[in-house]
Amino acid sequence: MLKRSLHPAAPAPGRLVAAGTGLVAVTYGVVRYGYGLQLPTLTTELGLSSAAAGAIAAGSFAAYCAAALGAQRAMARRSPRAVVWV
């Protein structure tokens, strides 16, 4: 009888990166799409100018980029698992 391990085999790194990239692309894209759909209502209700609405969109992208760079630097110091949990 063949013994089977209780621990599943770790996925190949390339597949894990592809899955993570796809997940980030889909979720970030959906959020950007939702912001664009709600933008006319937001500008009317909150009295935002087009410059302010653009600054909000640019700020969210800048925060996303800063978080990605911060995660990259944190993974160099700690384990990737700890960074994912944070």
Side-chain angles (χ1 to χ4, degrees), residues 44-56:
T44 302
E45 289 184 5
L46 300 176
L48 296 174
S49 66
S50 60
I56 291 170

Side-chain angles (χ1 to χ4, degrees):
M1 178 177 266
L2 180 66
K3 282 189 165 185
R4 292 177 23 184
S5 173
L6 295 176
H7 300 288
R15 291 178 65 187
L16 185 61
V17 168
T21 302
L23 177 69
V24 169
V26 167
T27 55
Y28 187 72
V30 168
V31 169
R32 298 272 304 175
Y33 180 69
Y35 177 74
L37 287 176
Q38 298 297 323
L39 191 56
T41 305
L42 288 171
T43 55
T44 302
E45 289 184 5
L46 300 176
L48 296 174
S49 66
S50 60
I56 291 170
S60 70
F61 183 68
Y64 171 77
C65 291
L69 289 173
Q72 182 182 14
R73 289 189 176 138
M75 283 195 305
R77 288 189 219 117
R78 299 184 183 268
S79 71
R81 184 176 295 209
V83 174
V84 169
W85 277 105
V86 169

